[in-house]
Amino acid sequence: MLCLRSTAVACLLLLAAALSVQAQPARPALTVDTIMQDHETWIGDWPGSPFWSEHGDTLYFRWNPEGAFLSDSLYRVPRSGGTPEKVPPADRRTLGPTFDGWRHGEYVYDADFARKVYARDGDLYLYDRTDRTRTRLTKTQAREQDPRFSPDGAHVVFERDDNLFRLDLATGALAQLTDLRSGTDPEEPTPSEQDAFLEQQQLDLFETLRTEQEEREAAEAARERDAEADAPPPTFYTGDKRIEQLQLDPTGRYVTFALTSDADATPTTLVSYVTESGYAEELTARPKVGAPGDTYELYVQDLQRDTTLQVDLHQLPGAYDVPVFLKEQGAELDSTEAKRHLFAYGPYWSPSGQHAVLEVRARDNKDRWIVRLDPATQDLTVLDRQHDDAWIAGPGISWWGGASTLGWLPDDRHIYFQSEATGYSHLYTADVETGAVTPLTEGDFEVFDPMLSRDGTTWTFVSSEVSPHVRHVYQMPVDGGPRTRLTTMTGNNAYAMAPTEDLLALRYSFTTQPPEIYLKPLAGMEAAPERITHSTTDDWEAYPWRTGEIVRFMASDGVEVPAQLFVPETPNGAAVLFVHGAGYLQNVHRWWSSYFREYMFHNLLTDLGYTVLNVDYRGSAGYGRDWRTAIYRHMGGRDLGDYVDAQRYLEERFDIPPERSFIYGGSYGGFLTLMALFTAPEHFGGGAALRSVTDWAHYNHAYTANILNTPAQDSLAYARSSPIHFAEGLADPLLMAHGLIDTNVQPQDIFRLSQRLIELGKTDWELAMYPVEGHGFTEPSSWTDEYRRILELAGRSVGPEAAAQAAAQEAVPVLDGEGDGH
């Protein structure tokens, strides 16, 4: 049908109506208002991670079924299963210890596992596992923490006010083991020459004064002898530094501690305008990337020799190495600049106290050393060094701060740890006497949350061995070997092992099912798990939620990229590509997504005829080291390339052209959306960037410096990775949304980009600010407003409205000169 100019509007309306009819879903209708309401009452509040009572006869978890309470409450169910019950307040207040693993070598239990010592609310408790009685050991205003048994079980050692104390369980006698004090050692004043002369003259002239001095010195000497007989702890002054990682070795001879202090780093600020007081309030937040790091010093105090000596971490091989990227730039560093900032976790003492192991990390996160520490000499012996020209990370290997997976086997000789030496995070052991390292698992999969049995013979852990898109629980002999899969339900099986080691509590979820609690006997995979909780509401279950097809498309570099695809029954010819946040996060899988609102939104979009693609682009979690580090020194490079290739895949398979492809995401996903629209606009027709990083030089250090180094060292990496430098490339409609009290990706980011767009004369963009929201929105009204805007922009830029408008424009003949168009 040929539409003339006079009837173009009518044709447009007819075409839009036809497309609307085609897009009507044959299922309960979803709306943005519905899916963005309070999820506790709409979906149902799913339970938190389960944990066991000390004997394994009761399973606990936090839950708020159907949003009945103001916050999650503590629930319990017996190990035999049944209906969960809310724990009464009286029982909650008298709750005994809970089980969190046997923790070999940490002396939470005594040698016979007959007693357990633990801290709760700043006080210490002793629990007798035989008669199930609890004894309160302290009731003070101070905060006692980190209690441990002495190897003979006669004492409890704990920390209070940055010092170690020992409590005699038989007599109740309390002894202070360390005397660590803030400030500096007070020195005796040195008299001037004049004062010294006058004092000596007095003593020379007057016998009375000489006698008084001799008596005073004799009394002081006697007091010192008495003090030495009581063996007081050596006094050590810490200046203005913080005490961390304070512990006593099992033999009682060595104390180890770290001293840290905040660097002189400039904080950032933002303003909260909608406040209870009615006054705008200034908020202080983290420094920016490249700010100086905290200082770190590790000390060993020998209580027998009354000495306190610092451990020189820079004795390690590689402590002065210049990173490869600096060598490539021809950097010439002196020895001071090349001295890398090192810090350590531990030491981890063997059960007997014979051996101590440290995990040493470099602040640039390109090296991790696992070393044996000789406390007498402070010498370090390398057991394992993991180096990465990009950055160290992976499951069980911290890169945000905090210790990694590391502990002792009961043989007092082997430690276990995780490493990405093969490209995937696996479990290893090392012989601390010979240095021999043995892999316990291997393959193109990753290991998570390893736990050792009480007798030290069996590992339990989660792995992605079946598929990177599912997680199952396995068991394996302590020395490695055949792995036995314990779970069968496809999805994510997070576990809590009962202390009886015959029963698993599973927090299981699937794509279409939020996490629920199950009980699964270990004996026999054929034993079906018993479902304990049911959280979803009838309204939620009335909609047939899609699982989505997990596909792989070929990227331009020859690598297959995983994605989750939602295909509508009646396509409208447009696509929406979703970009998950965090960078290092997995969202193509067969379990409940942390992006559950976006998941529901994708079902809504599919109902409306959009083809939706969710991609685990390069940099995502779940696929090993090479996938994670493919974005090193260029965010918005290979990761964005995966989205360009994803759009090509949609065009080849579904004939969806670039101008009908909409891209959106939040945080890292917002950043990548901006890069897509600024640097590859020919592949997309519009997008929405939410809480976006616009300039990595203004983000935090812990995340950014791992991937891009620092702005002063690697300005090229920041220039080519920051959207603000490419804003002139914007050619498609753009929505930017940001919380005004976002202390993570701060509003300054989006304000700076907005000013850049204004100065460039860009017009087809919109900024939506949310005054009461931080980085993660909490108010349903904010979620609703944000996603209403996204849906409307998708419709205008690539969806049915855009298609109708384009068709109408094509139908109007172009006139040459004057005439009536015939």
Side-chain angles (χ1 to χ4, degrees), residues 653-677:
R653 180 171 172 181
F654 301 105
D655 197 28
I656 299 174
E659 62 270 16
R660 299 292 309 279
S661 299
F662 187 88
I663 184 170
Y664 91 100
S667 195
Y668 195 99
F671 147 74
L672 211 54
T673 296
L674 293 175
M675 291 295 279
L677 297 185

Side-chain angles (χ1 to χ4, degrees), residues 469 547-552 562-565 588-590:
H469 311 299
T547 59
E549 177 189 2
I550 293 183
V551 300
R552 286 181 178 262
Q564 182 185 35
L565 178 68
V588 177
H589 48 60
R590 286 297 181 215

